[in-house]
């Protein structure tokens, strides 16, 4: 196996292991939080809760960035910390809803998602973009990417690197887009012939054109390593709905990558 491919495989495995370890770390906090809630010790409860919230904060910041880019919330009106302050109160007040430690992490995301949805008005997604995705030239792709990159410049929420769980904002794995075996050659070509940062920017651009609920479902799956059942709990959807949204998101991303990188469309 070539050294570069072997290194990439090792890095992906390490990311997956660290992601799993963080889910386990959150579950391990359940007993402490349950005891502190029973004691009515809200100060110690919040201090313990803060230790397991970096991924939730990252998710809220990501959703806030998405909404800012789409222009559906006013710039400067909200910060990720504003939602966290409300989340502390919600979690302490309703912690008895969590019956098992394995449910704690998706439940925290569900509460965070509900707080954000209260501020968010569902918007029309850019249907024209996807209808014409096979027609865009490389120059048009570059122009859209430049506009996307500069549109929120200076206004986006700055998030600290979550080094302990290795969740990076642009860390999308092609294997989660190209699932079918007959697409593995396409995935390999993208993975080995094109700059990974460029692919990540493209994925972000296309995701941003999707409906908000589809975008966040896909991000919860890729960035937070949640399964369809856990996402269904977070988003108050049926598992079948989550699976359908993930499938549609993958199809749109796959199509966009194919027409931009894998055929000659100058």
């Amino acid at each position: 196996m070539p050294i570069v491919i072997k290194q990439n495989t090792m890095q992906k495995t390490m990311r997956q292991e660290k992601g799993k370890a963080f889910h386990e770390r959150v579950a391990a906090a359940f007993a402490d939080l349950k005891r502190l809630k029973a004691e009515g010790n809200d100060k110690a409860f919040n201090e313990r809760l803060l230790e397991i919230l970096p991924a939730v904060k990252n998710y809220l910041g990501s959703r806030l960035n998405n909404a800012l880019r789409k222009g559906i919330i006013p710039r400067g009106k909200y910060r990720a910390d504003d939602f966290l302050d409300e989340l502390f109160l919600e979690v302490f007040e309703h912690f008895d809803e969590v019956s098992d430690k394995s449910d704690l992490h998706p439940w925290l995301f569900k509460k965070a998602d509900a707080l954000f949805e209260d501020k968010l008005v569902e918007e029309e997604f850019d249907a024209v973009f996807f209808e014409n995705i096979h027609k865009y030239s490389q120059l048009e792709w570059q122009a859209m990417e430049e506009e996307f990159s500069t549109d929120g410049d200076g206004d986006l929420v700055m998030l600290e690197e979550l080094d302990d769980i290795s969740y990076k904002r642009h860390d999308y794995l092609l294997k989660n887009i190209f699932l079918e075996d007959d697409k593995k050659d396409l995935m390999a070509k993208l993975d080995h012939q094109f700059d990974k940062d460029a692919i990540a920017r493209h994925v972000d651009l296309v995701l941003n054109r999707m409906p908000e609920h589809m975008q966040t479902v896909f991000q919860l799956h890729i960035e937070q390593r949640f399964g369809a059942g856990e996402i269904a709990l977070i988003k108050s959807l049926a598992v079948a709905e989550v699976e359908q949204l993930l499938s549609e998101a993958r199809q749109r991303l796959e199509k966009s990558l194919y027409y931009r990188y894998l055929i000659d469309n100058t």
Side-chain angles (χ1 to χ4, degrees):
M1 178 183 294
I3 294 176
V4 173
I5 298 177
K6 185 176 182 179
Q7 288 176 338
N8 289 340
T9 302
M10 291 175 60
Q11 288 171 356
K12 290 176 182 178
T13 301
M14 289 175 62
R15 284 195 293 267
Q16 291 169 349
E17 289 176 349
K18 289 182 178 181
K20 181 180 179 182
F22 189 74
H23 284 302
E24 292 173 350
R25 181 146 61 93
V26 174
F30 176 74
D32 291 339
L33 292 170
K34 186 175 182 178
R35 173 179 55 81
L36 293 169
K37 171 64 189 293
E39 295 172 355
N41 191 342
D42 58 337
K43 183 176 185 296
F45 182 95
N46 288 341
E47 289 174 353
R48 185 70 176 96
L49 180 62
L50 185 62
E51 296 174 5
I52 61 171
L53 283 184
V56 175
K57 181 177 181 179
N58 195 49
Y59 174 67
L60 284 170
S62 176
R63 290 215 62 184
L64 192 51
N65 282 342
N66 294 339
L68 286 169
R69 287 189 184 279
K70 293 181 178 188
I72 57 178
I73 61 173
R75 296 191 182 280
K77 186 174 182 179
Y78 302 110
R79 299 176 302 118
D81 286 342
D82 296 331
F83 295 99
L84 281 180
D85 290 341
E86 294 184 49
L87 184 62
F88 279 114
L89 297 174
E90 278 286 310
V91 170
F92 186 79
E93 183 176 351
H94 299 285
F95 191 76
D96 293 339
E97 294 176 5
V98 188
S99 57
D100 185 81
K101 65 180 183 179
S102 63
D103 295 331
L104 177 57
H105 208 197
W107 183 80
L108 290 172
F109 275 84
K110 179 180 177 66
K111 285 295 181 185
D113 209 57
L115 288 172
F116 194 88
E117 290 293 339
D118 285 343
K119 305 289 192 300
L120 187 68
V121 177
E122 187 68 21
E123 82 292 350
E124 293 289 335
F125 80 102
D126 195 346
V128 175
F129 171 80
F130 289 103
E131 289 171 0
N132 293 282
I133 208 164
H134 61 291
K135 298 179 181 179
Y136 299 129
S137 68
Q138 293 302 324
L139 288 176
E140 287 173 315
W141 275 115
Q142 291 168 13
M144 286 187 290
E145 188 171 285
E146 183 174 348
E147 181 182 2
F148 172 72
S149 299
T150 59
D151 180 58
D153 189 29
D155 294 303
L156 299 185
V157 179
M158 294 296 102
L159 301 171
E160 296 178 357
E161 289 283 345
L162 300 181
D163 293 331
D164 57 335
I165 51 175
S166 296
Y167 286 166
K168 297 182 184 298
R169 177 70 184 89
H170 296 294
D171 183 22
Y172 296 99
L173 302 180
L174 290 176
K175 70 177 183 179
N176 285 288
I177 299 174
F178 294 93
L179 294 181
E180 294 85 359
D181 288 338
D182 62 350
K183 303 292 177 61
K184 298 302 181 185
D185 289 344
L186 299 179
M187 183 184 76
K189 183 176 181 180
L190 283 168
D191 198 27
H192 301 142
Q193 295 187 18
F194 296 94
D195 179 72
K196 290 179 174 56
D197 288 337
I199 297 296
R201 288 194 299 271
H202 173 88
V203 170
D204 261 352
L205 166 65
V206 177
L207 276 175
N208 194 64
R209 302 295 185 110
M210 294 182 189
E212 179 73 13
H213 60 292
M214 183 182 295
Q215 180 179 4
T216 53
V217 161
F218 186 80
Q219 289 173 323
L220 281 168
H221 178 61
I222 299 298
E223 296 180 6
Q224 306 300 337
R225 311 300 195 259
F226 283 124
E230 294 168 314
I231 297 172
L233 174 64
I234 293 167
K235 302 292 290 181
S236 297
L237 297 170
V239 173
E241 290 180 274
V242 171
E243 292 173 342
Q244 181 62 30
L245 288 168
L246 287 173
S247 177
E248 290 182 19
R250 289 189 182 105
Q251 289 173 19
R252 291 176 179 180
L253 287 166
E254 180 184 321
K255 186 175 180 180
S256 71
L257 287 164
Y258 176 78
Y259 280 110
R260 181 172 185 182
Y261 291 104
L262 299 175
I263 66 170
D264 184 12
N265 187 21
T266 56

